[in-house]
Amino acid sequence: MPKQHNMPEQLFKIRHSLAHIMAQAVTERYPDARPTIGPPVENGFYYDFAVPQPFTPEDLAAFEQRMKEIIQKGVVFQRKEVSAEEARRLFAGNPFKLELIEGLVSGAGDDMGESEEETPDSQSAAGNSQSVISIYTHDTFTDLCRGPHVASTREINPQAFKLTASSGAYWRGDEHNPMLQRIYGVAFETPQELQHYLQQVEEAKKRDHRKLGRELEIFFFDDEIGPGLPLWQPNGAAIIEELEKLAKEIELKHGYKRVRTPHVTKEDLFLRSGHLPYYAESMYPPMELDDGVKYYIKPMNCPMHHKIFGSKPRSYRDLPIRLAEYGTCYRYEKSGELFGLMRVRSMQMNDAHIYCAEEQFEQEFMDVIAMYLEYFNLFGIDKYVMRLSTHSRKGLGKKYVDNESLWLKTEDMVRRAMQKHNVPYVEQADEAAFYGPKIDVQIWSAIGREFTLATNQVDFAVPARFDLKFTNREGKEETPLCIHRAPLSTHERMIGFLIEHYGGAFPVWLAPIQAVLIPIADRHIEYCQQVAQRLAEIGLRTEVDDGNDRMQNKIRKAQGQKIPYMLVAGDKERDAGAVAVRLRTGEDLKAMPVEQFIARVQPIITERKADL
């Protein structure tokens, strides 16, 4: 059976069947539409169609209504095996289906075209030519498909699905291929599950980091600068400073030393590291200088860190060596794949490389895992999955370094370390780095949205390419292992996650503006400025709202900006050396001396507490 995105089998069948039912509804309304592929995916399904013009919201409403009518008829899904020639006759008017058929016949097809993410089953495995091809028929619609499906639409609750959107999508994800129209749907087993999901979607829209990033003046993009190149405003820079301060404190505690490296380097460095053959498409084009030497803007820091390790002789007494850098890197992501801060072209990476002997590997690797957990506890991340990404034999020499014995050895080293320390993990084949296995971490925000965040990678190949050595206890030269790690990912992705996780209401230590002074009248502005100066002396990020708005409007404005503390001052507060403290939650703490407020807020900030 194909990979089901961790779905229960019945839910997979429901979503898969709904994709076919939708295709029937579309082709009934638009007989000239050409169905292409329609897989089940996480939370629902989609189907791509070749049509002369995009679908409208009215179309989606009509398709959904027709789907419900088909479901209520209780139609049966029937599987049939046909010859390749018969399949060609059945789909003679659809060039996309014919392409899939030819792929199966030649052995180049991998999944009946149903999803690039699914794992092929025995019927459609790449490299195995197919003389017999399966099709599924329900009601008046027949599709090229390997299944599985529900036996009857009576297994589908017509109130437990919804068509949500349509958009353009290239055939087989290749921008050189024709543009198709994709319709998305969500589907569950019960209407209650659907309603819960739709409520989560609405909450996610409110917390969208792109929306809040603009409203809270954290970051923005500008056409004259270029897509995927964020501009950090003062509020965003304040968050970055706090995250970097946090990382430096924790890395110092874990024995890291900080380094800095240039943004550009000669082509030879990436040829030596092996990155160019693997990542050339994701790198910015080279700059060729007068002497003909090509320079690349760096997409990663590791080759330069290797140079730092190799800059002088090393002994086993020096190891492990942990080099850390919040280095700015640049990757030329395709424009269609850019997404807010989650997928950018300029990024500041919480990068470090640990050089260690093999006998030190377990301790160093698990220390990185412990660092993950320390961060997760701080940010209130309760749900996460650690995924061991391994190689595939077919990718050796192409996608991966061609040394299977070292692949198997290092993958087993990671497994044994995780199991020994009782760290739960799942495995994902064919997702490793080109130089070794890795742990990728999936996390979920407070509203249940999934994000890919941290990574912990084992590199058994590249240190040897740089002739990295250390002298072992026997006086012999030995090549170290290298662990690549980025527990806080990049500033961009981490802040994008945190915006949505907190809904913009950051904990006090991370809030861009921690307190705003609100004078009741103009005569209180000077006192508020004096208080702001006092708070600045203890490191509190404050502002004075000396605008012309009424006090209540200033309070509402500060709450909208999600500022933790609103400190109101009038005659009584000024005369008493106090401020009236309101929280962004709406709670009124009444008046208190300024020094009492400082005594309250200082430990909250220094200990990075979650409360106000």
Side-chain angles (χ1 to χ4, degrees):
M1 182 173 291
K3 187 176 94 178
Q4 300 178 8
H5 301 272
N6 300 317
M7 288 181 234
E9 182 178 350
Q10 180 63 11
L11 188 55
F12 181 92
K13 290 179 179 179
I14 288 170
R15 290 170 174 169
H16 199 176
S17 302
L18 281 165
H20 283 224
I21 295 168
M22 179 173 69
Q24 177 184 346
V26 171
T27 52
E28 286 180 351
R29 185 173 173 91
Y30 295 106
D32 292 335
R34 296 290 176 262
T36 64
I37 60 172
V41 292
E42 185 180 10
N43 298 318
F45 57 94
Y46 69 78
Y47 212 119
D48 291 348
F49 302 89
V51 288
Q53 65 277 323
F55 296 116
T56 66
E58 291 74 23
D59 285 330
L60 266 61
F63 299 152
E64 187 174 308
Q65 179 57 37
R66 178 57 181 146
M67 290 173 69
K68 290 179 179 179
E69 294 170 1
I70 295 167
I71 291 168
Q72 289 165 344
K73 288 166 62 175
V75 299
V76 174
F77 277 81
Q78 296 179 316
R79 186 179 190 273
K80 182 181 178 181
E81 292 185 346
V82 299
S83 67
E85 190 55 41
E86 187 175 352
R88 291 188 187 100
R89 287 197 300 271
L90 282 170
F91 299 98
N94 189 329
F96 302 97
K97 295 294 186 183
L98 291 175
E99 182 180 324
L100 296 174
I101 292 168
E102 295 312 312
L104 292 174
V105 171
S106 68
D110 60 355
D111 58 6
M112 299 288 276
E114 295 215 322
S115 171
E116 294 180 4
E117 298 176 354
E118 293 176 4
T119 302
D121 61 13
S122 59
Q123 175 180 320
S124 55
N128 295 327
S129 60
Q130 302 296 307
S131 58
V132 176
I133 294 170
S134 67
I135 61 173
Y136 275 81
T137 299
H138 76 276
D139 203 27
T140 62
F141 184 76
T142 297
D143 206 356
L144 180 71
C145 181
R146 67 181 178 184
H149 290 280
V150 295
S152 162
T153 58
R154 296 191 188 281
E155 297 177 36
I156 302 173
N157 189 317
Q159 305 305 319
F161 82 94
K162 182 176 180 60
L163 301 188
T164 55
S166 65
S167 66
Y170 291 109
W171 168 236
R172 294 197 152 188
D174 187 334
E175 60 188 6
H176 300 102
N177 287 339
M179 174 66 77
L180 309 173
Q181 289 298 308
R182 175 174 296 179
I183 301 176
Y184 293 94
V186 294
F188 298 88
E189 293 193 63
T190 67
Q192 292 78 13
E193 290 173 302
L194 173 64
Q195 189 58 37
H196 175 71
Y197 172 78
L198 293 175
Q199 288 172 350
Q200 279 192 317
V201 169
E202 286 305 308
E203 181 62 25
K205 288 179 181 176
K206 297 176 187 175
R207 292 176 178 240
D208 189 319
H209 78 277
R210 296 166 298 175
K211 172 179 176 288
L212 287 176
R214 289 190 303 272
E215 293 175 356
L216 301 179
E217 298 183 1
I218 294 172
F219 73 95
F220 68 96
F221 296 94
D222 185 274
D223 288 341
E224 285 190 294
I225 289 175
L229 304 170
L231 290 167
W232 294 102
Q233 294 165 276
N235 286 347
I239 299 173
I240 286 173
E241 290 291 333
E242 286 296 336
L243 288 177
E244 198 157 344
K245 178 182 175 184
L246 169 68
K248 286 178 178 178
E249 286 180 13
I250 290 182
E251 287 168 0
L252 179 64
K253 183 175 68 176
H254 285 257
Y256 287 78
K257 296 180 185 292
R258 302 198 72 78
V259 297
R260 290 183 179 272
T261 58
H263 289 226
V264 295
T265 185
K266 288 182 179 180
E267 176 185 48
D268 291 351
L269 186 72
F270 294 119
L271 287 171
R272 186 174 186 183
S273 70
H275 283 98
L276 266 179
Y278 292 96
Y279 291 116
E281 290 185 2
S282 297
M283 295 169 67
Y284 274 87
M287 298 171 280
E288 190 166 324
L289 303 184
D290 292 338
D291 57 4
V293 176
K294 291 181 180 178
Y295 280 77
Y296 278 89
I297 192 165
K298 68 174 178 179
M300 70 284 296
N301 302 303
C302 40
M304 296 186 182
H305 288 193
H306 297 336
K307 282 290 188 179
I308 292 174
F309 178 91
S311 63
K312 67 177 186 178
R314 306 287 184 177
S315 161
Y316 72 91
R317 294 186 179 88
D318 302 320
L319 272 52
I321 291 175
R322 310 177 187 97
L323 303 179
E325 177 182 18
Y326 249 116
T328 303
C329 298
Y330 304 86
R331 296 180 184 174
Y332 192 74
E333 304 284 1
K334 293 180 181 178
S335 59
E337 296 176 347
L338 298 174
F339 180 73
L341 292 178
M342 298 303 170
R343 199 73 177 264
V344 292
R345 290 175 172 170
S346 168
M347 64 208 76
Q348 292 174 280
M349 197 176 299
N350 173 221
D351 214 358
H353 297 89
I354 303 167
Y355 302 88
C356 63
E358 188 174 319
E359 62 268 20
Q360 297 170 319
F361 167 77
E362 180 183 313
Q363 176 63 42
E364 293 303 309
F365 194 82
M366 296 314 300
D367 190 61
V368 174
I369 298 293
M371 193 180 290
Y372 289 162
L373 300 178
E374 191 172 353
Y375 286 133
F376 293 169
N377 181 61
L378 175 63
F379 294 115
I381 299 170
D382 300 318
K383 183 180 178 182
Y384 56 87
V385 168
M386 297 201 181
R387 185 178 66 203
L388 170 55
S389 298
T390 59
H391 80 297
S392 68
R393 179 175 291 180
K394 66 181 181 182
L396 292 173
K398 303 169 188 173
K399 186 177 178 181
Y400 305 115
V401 170
D402 192 1
N403 190 327
E404 188 167 28
S405 63
L406 277 176
W407 276 106
L408 296 174
K409 177 180 178 180
T410 50
E411 287 167 359
D412 189 55
M413 288 167 62
V414 174
R415 285 191 195 96
R416 285 188 285 109
M418 299 288 279
Q419 292 165 3
K420 178 179 176 181
H421 294 270
N422 298 313
V423 179
Y425 70 95
V426 297
E427 288 202 28
Q428 180 66 57
D430 201 19
E431 291 291 337
F434 82 87
Y435 44 64
K438 60 178 178 173
I439 293 289
D440 286 323
V441 185
Q442 303 294 114
I443 62 173
W444 280 259
S445 70
I447 59 168
R449 284 198 63 188
E450 183 179 357
F451 294 79
T452 300
L453 191 72
T455 190
N456 190 10
Q457 305 177 355
V458 186
D459 183 351
F460 62 76
V462 181
R465 294 185 179 189
F466 281 86
D467 298 321
L468 302 187
K469 304 287 184 183
F470 69 94
T471 304
N472 64 23
R473 294 176 186 274
E474 287 74 41
K476 297 179 180 179
E477 286 192 335
E478 189 175 322
T479 301
L481 281 172
C482 178
I483 298 172
H484 305 238
R485 44 109 290 184
L488 287 178
S489 186
T490 64
H491 284 325
E492 289 71 22
R493 182 164 293 196
M494 189 68 197
I495 291 174
F497 166 77
L498 292 175
I499 290 172
E500 298 196 12
H501 185 55
Y502 293 121
F506 297 101
V508 183
W509 69 271
L510 200 53
I513 302 169
Q514 296 166 319
V516 60
L517 276 295
I518 299 176
I520 293 177
D522 286 351
R523 65 180 180 275
H524 307 124
I525 291 175
E526 184 179 354
Y527 173 69
C528 286
Q529 290 172 336
Q530 292 171 358
V531 174
Q533 178 61 37
R534 173 69 183 106
L535 297 179
E537 290 172 0
I538 60 125
L540 204 67
R541 295 185 289 274
T542 62
E543 287 189 355
V544 176
D545 188 344
D546 57 1
N548 296 322
D549 286 348
R550 296 171 60 86
M551 180 188 72
Q552 290 301 328
N553 289 340
K554 291 180 179 181
I555 291 173
R556 281 192 291 271
K557 175 183 166 186
Q559 285 178 314
Q561 293 173 329
K562 306 185 187 297
I563 297 172
Y565 301 108
M566 285 139 275
L567 310 180
V568 181
D571 290 337
K572 288 193 300 182
E573 289 79 19
R574 180 192 58 194
D575 295 344
V579 286
V581 182
R582 293 172 180 258
L583 306 183
R584 64 183 168 208
T585 59
E587 185 179 353
D588 186 354
L589 300 185
K590 307 300 181 183
M592 64 178 69
V594 171
E595 294 304 318
Q596 183 181 335
F597 172 72
I598 290 173
R600 172 194 173 92
V601 75
Q602 265 190 315
I604 291 174
I605 293 172
T606 56
E607 297 171 29
R608 298 189 173 98
K609 295 181 179 179
D611 50 349
L612 293 178

